[in-house]
Amino acid sequence: MSIQDIIEGKKQWRAHLARVKALPPDYQIVYKEMQKYLFKVGPVSLSDGTLLPGIVDFFEEGVGAGKGVLELIGTDVAAFCDGLIKDCPTYADAYQESISGEPGTAGK
């Protein structure tokens, strides 16, 4: 990874955060909780940069439609996040597979 890649990544992250800050306060609170949960659970695909911006896109559409954030995702933030990443391997899955030696055994 070059210095230019790091700089570009920071620019993209700052633009992403600016979009989050433009959301209504209730959306911002829920987004931050989702982000915290996803960083903790650690889906491997989180680093590809599409999941979090996709959530912001979804929230912006909800704001545009005049819906409250809980109308969009329900009252269980963790369950909603789990639904988003249900088919994505997590770092916990990768670790479990590395110690068991068998792919696909995580969570069993």
Side-chain angles (χ1 to χ4, degrees), residues 8-93:
E8 186 59 34
K10 283 189 170 196
K11 285 180 184 177
Q12 289 174 354
W13 182 249
R14 287 184 182 133
H16 173 78
L17 291 179
R19 289 178 61 202
V20 172
K21 288 180 182 178
L23 293 169
D26 56 336
Y27 278 86
Q28 288 181 40
I29 291 167
V30 171
Y31 174 82
K32 288 176 186 173
E33 289 302 313
M34 291 175 73
Q35 179 184 10
K36 194 177 350 177
Y37 181 81
L38 291 169
F39 283 165
K40 182 190 246 184
V41 171
V44 176
S45 63
L46 190 60
S47 62
D48 76 6
T50 58
L51 181 61
L52 294 176
I55 293 169
V56 176
D57 292 340
F58 179 62
F59 280 5
E60 288 171 340
E61 290 173 16
V63 170
K67 294 185 177 185
V69 68
L70 297 181
E71 288 179 76
L72 295 177
I73 69 161
T75 57
D76 190 345
V77 173
F80 182 80
C81 290
D82 287 342
L84 290 176
I85 61 170
K86 70 178 181 217
D87 296 328
C88 300
T90 65
Y91 288 111
D93 294 337

